Amino acid sequence: MKISVYRRPLAALALLAAAFFNPAAWDNDRLLAGIPLNLVYHSGLCVAAALAMWAVVRKAWPDYLDRGE
Amino acid sequence: MILTVVAVYLSLVTFVGLAGRRLFKGTGEDYFVASRSIGPAVLLLTLVGTNMTAFTMLGLSGEAYNRGVVVFAFVGSSSALLVPFIFYYLGTRCWWLGKRHGYVTQVQLIRDRYRSGALGTLLFVVIVLLMLPYILIGVKGGGDALNAITGGADGGMPPWVGSLAVCVVTFLYVTYGGMRSTSWVNTFQTAVFMTVSAAAFFAILHEFGGVETAMQSLRERHRELVVFDTDPSSRLRLLSYFLIPLCTGAFPHLYAHWLSAKESRTFRTVLVFYPLCFLVVNFPIVILGMVGRLAFEPPLDGPILVKLIVGYTGGLLAGCLAAGVFAAIMSSLDSQSLALGAMFTEDIVRYYGFDDRLSERQQVMFGRIFVAVFLALAFVCSLFADQSIFALGTWSLTGFAGLLPVFAASLYWRRSAKAGAAAAIGAVAGLWAYFFVDSLGVDGPYSIAGSGLLPIAVIVPASAVAMIVVSLLSRPPADTARFFPEN
C-alpha cells in the first residue's frame, strides 16, 4: 500500500472544507426555485461530498482491506 | 389516532427486532457485532439512523426556527462532509483490525495496541461517563415528545409513558437479538424517519402555498433567516460546529457497527450514499423549522414541528410524527445500550473477573444483563432529570470529538505511545471539566469568553498536541507491526 493512497482523499476533504467556509453567498438572500441560495449551496456540498467519496472508493481504496477476504 | 399509530409503529419495530433473533448463533461475537455479517444497505441505513437523535427532528427544526438556514451548515452539510471521511480512515481500519484480532470494543483495541490494561480502563471510564447523559437525553426526549404531540400541558400523555415505551421496546429487541436485530430495526426506523419527514414537508408546505411562496414571504418578513450572519462570532461558531462531527470517530456504538460489516467493500456503498442520506434527512426539517416562523411568533410553548403538524395537518400525520421521533430516538438508544453492554462484558467482566476466559453463552448473558440495567437506569433517571439535561448533549459530543486523536494515532501512527494516549485523554478530561464549570454561570449558549468559539475548537487540538508531544517524549510499544498493513 502506498502512502499516497491516503493522501488523495485528504486533498478532496481540504477542498470540500474550503468550499464549506466560502463566505461569498453568506449575505445573499436570493432564492433558487424557492430555496434560499445558501441552502442550495450547502445541499450542493452534500452532493459534492458523495461524488468525492465515489472517486475515493474507485481511485484510493486501500488494497490491504480486500486481501484475504 | 395518535396513540393508535404509535402503538402500531412500536409493534412493527418489535416484530422486526424479534425476527432478527431467528439468525442468532448464540455467541458473544454474534450478539455484539452480528458475526461481522451486515451488508451494505443495512449498514448504510443503520449508521444514518444511529447518528439521528431526538434532536434531528425536534431540536433541528427548533434551531432553524430561531437561527434560520445556517443550521443546515451547523448540522447537515458539516456531517455530510466529514463523517464519510471518518468512516474511510477510521471505520475501515477498525473493521480490518477487529476482524484480524477479534476485537468487539474500542477498549480492546487500545489495550492491545499500547499493551496497557490501565489505559484501557481509563478510556472505558471516560467513554461511559460521556455516554450516560447521551442515553438519558434519548429516553427523556421520547417522553417529552409524546407529551407534546398529544397535547402537552393540556392533557397530554405523562412524559414517563413515552420514556417507558422507548425503553421497553428497545430492551425487547436488543436483549433478544443483539446487533443483528438492532441493525434490522435501525434500517426500518431510518426508512420510517425519512418517509415521515418527507410527508410532513409536502403536507405542511402545501398549506403555505408551496415552498416558493413560503420562502418569498419568509425573505420579506424575516430576511435574517435566509442568510448567514457575517459577524466574527458567527464565523467562529460555524468553525466550531464544523468540528462536532469528529465525535463520530470515537463513538463506541458506531465502532460496533463498523465491526459488523460483512466485508471491506460493504463500506463503499456507505461512503458514497451517507452524504445523500444526510441531505434527505436534514433538508426538509430545516425548511419546516424556518416556515414555522411564518405561522408562530416567538416565544414558543412547544416544539415548532409539533405545532406545525398539529396546526396544519391531521391526527394521522401527528401520529406518524410521534413514530418518527421514536424512530430517531430508538435507532440511537439501541446501539448505545448494546455498545455499553459489550464494553462492560468484554472490558470489565471478561478482562478482570474471568481472566479473559468467559464462555460464549456467558458473554451473551452478561451483555443482556447490562443492556437491561442501562435502560432501567436511564428510565429511572429520566423521571428526575429536568430540561437542563439536554444541554449536556453538546458537551457529550465535545468530549467524544476530543478522543478522536487517540484513536487516529493508534491506527495510523506507529510512533504513538501509551503515555501520549493517556496525556491526550487527560487533556480532554481536564479541559472539558474546566469549560463545563466555566459555563455554569452563563445564561444562554456558552462560548469561550463570549467569542462564539466553542470548547470543542480548543479541546480537539489540545488532545492532538498532547498525543504527539508526549508520544515523542516517551518510548513507543515494541512489535506494533501486526496493527499496520504490510507495504
Side-chain angles (χ1 to χ4, degrees):
Chain A
M1 184 194 63
K2 297 172 186 173
I3 291 175
S4 61
V5 165
Y6 279 121
R7 287 191 181 157
R8 276 177 260 165
L10 280 180
L13 177 59
L15 281 174
L16 288 168
F20 181 88
F21 290 107
N22 172 21
W26 284 7
D27 197 39
N28 191 326
D29 65 356
R30 269 186 62 199
L31 303 178
L32 285 179
I35 307 295
L37 183 63
N38 281 295
L39 186 53
V40 173
Y41 180 76
H42 278 265
S43 299
L45 282 181
C46 296
V47 176
L51 292 173
M53 294 319 297
W54 178 74
V56 165
V57 300
R58 286 177 63 88
K59 302 291 183 186
W61 193 249
D63 294 338
Y64 75 89
L65 289 173
D66 297 334
R67 255 181 258 146
E69 284 190 350
Chain B
M1 175 60 91
I2 293 173
L3 293 179
T4 305
V5 174
V6 169
V8 169
Y9 173 73
L10 292 178
S11 303
L12 279 173
V13 164
T14 308
F15 175 77
V16 172
L18 297 186
R21 161 80 180 179
R22 286 188 297 120
L23 299 180
F24 186 48
K25 296 174 182 170
T27 65
E29 189 181 43
D30 196 65
Y31 185 74
F32 295 126
V33 291
S35 298
R36 308 177 203 274
S37 64
I38 300 297
V42 173
L43 186 66
L44 168 67
L45 291 176
T46 203
L47 284 171
V48 172
T50 302
N51 260 346
M52 293 188 311
T53 61
F55 175 83
T56 310
M57 198 157 227
L58 300 182
L60 184 62
S61 53
E63 286 292 302
Y65 173 88
N66 287 315
R67 294 171 182 264
V69 72
V70 72
V71 170
F72 185 80
F74 282 174
V75 179
S77 54
S78 61
S79 290
L81 261 60
L82 275 182
V83 172
F85 285 94
I86 291 170
F87 289 176
Y88 172 78
Y89 283 109
L90 271 66
T92 56
R93 182 64 71 92
C94 286
W95 171 84
W96 181 74
L97 283 172
K99 189 172 182 182
R100 206 175 192 200
H101 301 299
Y103 301 141
V104 172
T105 72
Q106 296 158 303
V107 173
Q108 289 175 324
L109 164 67
I110 294 297
R111 273 185 177 142
D112 206 15
R113 171 71 176 81
Y114 294 114
R115 299 185 172 205
S116 171
L119 179 66
T121 306
L122 173 67
L123 183 66
F124 172 89
V125 170
V126 172
I127 287 176
V128 170
L129 288 176
L130 290 171
M131 185 60 86
L132 287 177
Y134 203 33
I135 288 179
L136 181 56
I137 287 168
V139 174
K140 185 162 174 56
D144 288 356
L146 189 65
N147 170 262
I149 293 166
T150 53
D154 304 325
M157 295 290 286
W160 67 266
V161 176
S163 297
L164 184 63
V166 162
C167 288
V168 168
V169 173
T170 304
F171 164 79
L172 280 176
Y173 67 80
V174 174
T175 55
Y176 208 57
M179 175 58 89
R180 188 173 292 99
S181 290
T182 299
S183 296
W184 287 14
V185 168
N186 280 359
T187 301
F188 171 68
Q189 299 200 107
T190 305
V192 167
F193 184 92
M194 287 179 172
T195 307
V196 168
S197 56
F201 178 77
F202 289 112
I204 292 172
L205 282 176
H206 179 73
E207 298 296 316
F208 286 85
V211 66
E212 198 152 357
T213 307
M215 284 296 144
Q216 277 174 354
S217 302
L218 191 73
R219 184 174 61 172
E220 288 162 11
R221 289 166 57 183
H222 299 286
R223 182 184 181 275
E224 73 280 6
L225 295 182
V226 299
V227 297
F228 286 12
D229 280 343
T230 53
D231 61 276
S233 71
S234 296
R235 288 170 189 240
L236 290 174
R237 193 168 289 276
L238 185 64
L239 171 68
S240 303
Y241 272 95
F242 186 72
L243 298 176
I244 284 182
L246 295 179
C247 64
T248 54
F251 275 157
H253 44 298
L254 286 191
Y255 179 86
H257 281 301
W258 293 340
L259 264 54
S260 73
K262 185 177 183 180
E263 54 189 356
S264 66
R265 288 169 185 268
T266 305
F267 282 92
R268 295 185 177 206
T269 305
V270 175
L271 297 178
V272 174
F273 287 98
Y274 189 92
L276 301 178
C277 287
F278 240 67
L279 173 62
V280 170
V281 164
N282 289 287
F283 182 91
I285 301 293
V286 169
I287 290 273
L288 288 176
M290 293 164 65
V291 167
R293 199 63 174 266
L294 294 172
F296 302 97
E297 285 297 322
L300 291 175
D301 58 351
I304 183 60
L305 198 57
V306 173
K307 295 183 78 66
L308 281 171
I309 285 182
V310 171
Y312 290 88
T313 68
L316 177 64
L317 196 54
C320 291
L321 171 70
V325 174
F326 276 34
I329 290 169
M330 290 195 295
S331 59
S332 303
L333 186 64
D334 53 9
S335 306
Q336 291 164 340
S337 53
L338 183 63
L340 281 184
M343 288 174 66
F344 270 87
T345 304
E346 300 292 330
D347 303 332
I348 300 298
V349 175
R350 190 178 180 193
Y351 185 78
Y352 286 114
F354 289 81
D355 194 23
D356 221 18
R357 289 189 302 273
L358 198 64
S359 73
E360 298 290 344
R361 198 173 163 184
Q362 286 172 317
Q363 289 178 49
V364 175
M365 181 190 73
F366 275 111
R368 285 175 167 157
I369 290 172
F370 284 123
V371 168
V373 168
F374 291 132
L375 289 172
L377 194 65
F379 172 68
V380 171
C381 290
S382 74
L383 300 176
F384 302 103
D386 60 19
Q387 290 299 315
S388 62
I389 188 72
F390 289 97
L392 280 178
T394 306
W395 287 101
S396 179
L397 303 184
T398 298
F400 278 114
L403 295 177
L404 182 83
V406 176
F407 293 110
S410 73
L411 296 172
Y412 285 96
W413 191 29
R414 291 171 191 260
R415 181 67 182 77
S416 65
K418 173 176 72 175
I425 296 170
V428 172
L431 286 169
W432 189 97
Y434 169 78
F435 287 124
F436 183 74
V437 171
D438 192 44
S439 74
L440 293 177
V442 176
D443 289 330
Y446 173 77
S447 64
I448 299 170
S451 62
L453 197 67
L454 302 182
I456 192 170
V458 173
I459 291 176
V460 173
S463 170
V465 168
M467 183 82 214
I468 293 167
V469 171
V470 178
S471 288
L472 290 175
L473 294 174
S474 56
R475 184 192 294 265
D479 188 23
T480 58
R482 65 197 178 98
F483 297 102
F484 297 92
E486 295 168 14
N487 287 328

